[in-house]
Amino acid sequence: MILFPPEGRPHDDILETMQSFRENDADFKNGRTWSLVYQLNREHDAFIKKTHNLYFSENALNPMAFKSLKRFEHEVVQMTAGLLNGDEQVVGTMTSGGTESCLLPVLAYRERARSKRRWKGLAPEMIAPETIHVAWDKAAKYFNVKMVKIPLKEDFTVDVDVLKKKINGNTILIVASAPSYPHGVIDPIKDIGRVASEKNIPFHVDSCLGGFFLPFMEKAGYRVPEFDFRCEGVTSISADVHKYGFGAKGASVVLYKSMAYLRHQFFIHPGWPGGVFASPALLGTRPGGPIAAAWAAMNSLGMNGYCEMAKGVMETTQKLTAGINAVDGLKILGKPVMSVFAYGSTDKKVGIFAVGDIMEDRGWHVDRLQRPEGLHAMVTPAHEAVADQYLSDLREAVERVKADPGLSSRGNAALYGMIAQVPFRGLIKKEVGKMMEKMYGPKGEMPMDHQGKESFAVRMGACALNFLSKWTSGLRRR
Ligand SMILES: *Cc1c(COP(=O)(O)O)cnc(C)c1O
């Protein structure tokens, strides 16, 4: 048990200890991570920290008390609405991040559907592509809405014909991505919008990743399919400031076509002994820092600054994707539009997870995809300096796997491979659940792999293997 310190320690001492805890963290400062951290440059970072700290104590829970925060939030919402080609009617709120910007629309559209159909039962359903961000599954679970998943076409975008057929009287919402997190491809927003409009069903575009990137790309002269409020039928959009908006973490925007939708997101409770309570979003206490920093990021960079960022990131992305496609045995999955992409193997001898293991040994923090198997990358300005190194490490990794295809059936690769293929999702879920109980249990144990590094999947795989072998031996006995 970790005991509560009986006495305090000097600040310097604490700061030193905190630094030492960082030793095994992912190395984002040298462009080694391909997710999780978005940094523009040192100068911007230092500035954003300042603006965040300026509002370290303020609380947006009560907008009457901190009018400055209300103003920042309003201006961020308005600027984002304009960026995404909304008209004067568009309204919205800031949230703590992409997940909250996905949770809230599900709640709002469910409440809206209920208010419209008070006279008869509703078993709410929402329709989404298989590649929709998992935050929407979380929303479906939290708010008791049935999730109906639509298969993809060859190009990893959703099949609109199938989607159309799944609409029924219980459908409260259609969601699609611009772009999708796994493959960075944009669903056919215009076509879905037409269907949604025809059937009079709300349509949310999850642009958490693209909301603060695609518009700048377009202005910088790249071809970008229309994905925002310009498309008929789109009723709401989410966009994360803490991704390509380069604000502080804990900032996203959710926008609705009009107050007719947003009003269903509000929570108002007049009878509480603590006072009449009204809240626009999920949180109670809302940190002021991320709201202030979002405003500061937009005002300091301006359209020009963001366009320049988008151009630079796209140049690095094009270098990387061309480099990867040029490797015999690898190919980019689908046609990614912006700076997020995945790649897989075209050669049976090249196990992509074995390639991932070698990259990890070289210090790259690798994200793996399943169904189909692949490696994932989200390009930021930090990657310009390391793109060549990444490509050369990747070429070598592929050569090594080709020379020794057995690597795919050893180490992490074997386990990830099995997890990606095992048909028993329920089993994986159970084993991961056990792991989480350990991690969040009284001992707070981290799963460790052979190198002593944290590795979530290893334990997960080991548990699943263990269970599988027990299960199959059980079958044999029978
Ligand atoms: C990141 C992301 C989310 C979730 O956002 P968090 O900020 O991680 O909570 C949702 N949808 C998409 C498309 C995303 O990229």
Side-chain angles (χ1 to χ4, degrees):
M1 232 206 304
I2 308 280
L3 295 179
F4 202 89
E7 272 170 67
R9 280 156 58 197
H11 292 178
D12 284 348
D13 189 19
I14 303 269
L15 289 169
E16 208 175 292
T17 309
M18 289 173 78
Q19 279 297 346
S20 74
F21 278 17
R22 283 181 145 167
E23 207 175 297
N24 293 320
D25 286 355
D27 178 15
F28 63 90
K29 285 182 183 143
N30 295 305
R32 292 276 156 171
T33 55
W34 297 83
S35 63
L36 303 170
V37 178
Y38 296 76
Q39 285 191 318
L40 186 61
N41 56 49
R42 264 182 212 180
E43 196 193 346
H44 177 81
D45 232 41
F47 169 68
I48 290 302
K49 278 182 196 167
K50 254 190 213 165
T51 63
H52 184 275
N53 283 347
L54 206 56
Y55 279 82
F56 173 79
S57 304
E58 281 79 350
N59 187 344
L61 168 62
N62 186 344
M64 316 288 185
F66 299 108
K67 297 186 177 66
S68 57
L69 283 180
K70 179 70 194 71
R71 180 170 178 183
F72 291 145
E73 179 174 11
H74 177 69
E75 293 192 8
V76 165
V77 165
Q78 288 274 305
M79 289 188 278
T80 311
L83 189 66
L84 298 174
N85 294 294
D87 62 19
E88 295 285 305
Q89 299 300 310
V90 170
V91 283
T93 61
M94 286 191 70
T95 69
S96 61
T99 298
E100 191 182 341
S101 291
C102 300
L103 292 175
L104 289 171
V106 175
L107 172 74
Y109 289 124
R110 189 197 69 182
E111 294 301 288
R112 176 179 175 272
R114 281 195 180 149
S115 74
K116 281 188 178 298
R117 308 210 325 185
R118 228 167 305 187
W119 63 94
K120 60 176 176 184
L122 174 82
E125 295 183 9
M126 60 190 278
I127 301 179
E130 275 179 4
T131 42
I132 202 75
H133 194 279
V134 70
W136 294 92
D137 292 277
K138 200 181 205 180
K141 180 169 178 172
Y142 282 10
F143 300 126
N144 212 6
V145 172
K146 182 180 166 191
M147 173 64 96
V148 179
K149 288 275 173 80
I150 309 300
L152 310 176
K153 294 186 301 186
E154 287 276 296
D155 64 359
F156 297 96
T157 65
V158 72
D159 188 327
V160 184
D161 293 333
V162 180
L163 183 146
K164 193 173 176 177
K165 287 190 193 115
K166 294 287 182 183
I167 296 173
N168 65 38
N170 282 322
T171 307
I172 60 156
L173 166 66
I174 300 168
V175 197
S177 321
S180 75
Y181 176 90
H183 311 109
V185 300
I186 299 184
D187 284 314
I189 303 300
K190 259 195 162 158
D191 298 345
I192 302 169
R194 236 175 269 126
V195 171
S197 168
E198 189 186 299
K199 304 262 185 185
N200 203 16
I201 308 279
F203 175 30
H204 182 100
V205 176
D206 182 354
S207 201
C208 281
L209 261 181
F212 288 98
F213 197 92
L214 295 172
F216 307 125
M217 256 181 91
E218 192 180 342
K219 287 197 174 66
Y222 290 86
R223 206 197 68 82
V224 175
E226 284 185 11
F227 71 98
D228 55 20
F229 285 115
R230 281 172 291 187
C231 299
E232 180 195 352
V234 171
T235 53
S236 52
I237 304 181
S238 45
D240 287 353
V241 190
H242 67 197
K243 286 181 184 155
Y244 288 102
F246 297 98
K249 275 201 179 48
S252 173
V253 178
V254 59
L255 298 172
Y256 295 87
K257 204 168 174 57
S258 78
M259 190 54 75
Y261 300 100
L262 174 60
R263 69 164 61 101
H264 297 284
Q265 181 181 299
F266 297 154
F267 175 81
I268 303 159
H269 200 79
W272 185 42
V276 175
F277 187 91
S279 146
L282 196 70
L283 303 184
T285 289
R286 301 171 77 209
I291 298 175
W295 185 89
M298 289 175 199
N299 279 290
S300 69
L301 291 173
M303 198 64 88
N304 274 358
Y306 281 108
C307 285
E308 217 172 284
M309 173 279 294
K311 254 201 244 168
V313 168
M314 282 315 292
E315 275 160 26
T316 308
T317 305
Q318 280 159 356
K319 179 188 223 171
L320 284 164
T321 52
I324 290 167
N325 272 331
V327 178
D328 180 39
L330 295 183
K331 70 154 193 285
I332 299 292
L333 301 177
K335 284 206 169 60
V337 178
M338 49 176 263
S339 51
V340 179
F341 62 85
Y343 56 97
S345 162
T346 55
D347 181 342
K348 272 211 179 86
K349 277 195 296 194
V350 180
I352 197 70
F353 290 156
V355 173
D357 282 357
I358 296 172
M359 292 298 276
E360 211 149 69
D361 287 342
R362 302 239 163 133
W364 300 101
H365 187 93
V366 177
D367 295 303
R368 295 160 178 85
L369 302 187
Q370 55 179 349
R371 302 189 302 144
E373 293 176 9
L375 302 180
H376 191 247
M378 221 138 37
V379 184
T380 69
H383 296 122
E384 188 186 333
V386 299
D388 287 319
Q389 184 66 48
Y390 184 88
L391 286 172
S392 81
D393 281 356
L394 189 60
R395 283 188 289 265
E396 275 181 48
V398 169
E399 286 316 308
R400 269 185 58 194
V401 176
K402 274 185 188 164
D404 184 4
L407 285 172
S408 290
S409 45
R410 294 204 291 273
N412 287 2
L415 296 164
Y416 281 114
M418 195 206 63
I419 291 160
Q421 279 165 13
V422 165
F424 312 108
R425 294 278 134 200
L427 183 134
I428 301 269
K429 188 173 171 181
K430 201 168 147 190
E431 295 303 331
V432 174
K434 277 195 212 158
M435 268 185 52
M436 288 186 77
E437 287 178 26
K438 277 221 162 111
M439 282 171 71
Y440 294 94
K443 289 197 183 124
E445 281 172 277
M446 287 305 289
M448 297 282 183
D449 70 8
H450 56 286
Q451 290 157 324
K453 271 190 317 193
E454 299 165 20
S455 173
F456 197 75
V458 174
R459 272 285 277 277
M460 180 162 103
C463 293
L465 267 182
N466 189 9
F467 191 93
L468 263 183
S469 64
K470 270 192 231 154
W471 189 73
T472 47
S473 67
L475 277 187
R476 258 180 267 121
R477 249 179 272 128
R478 241 177 272 157

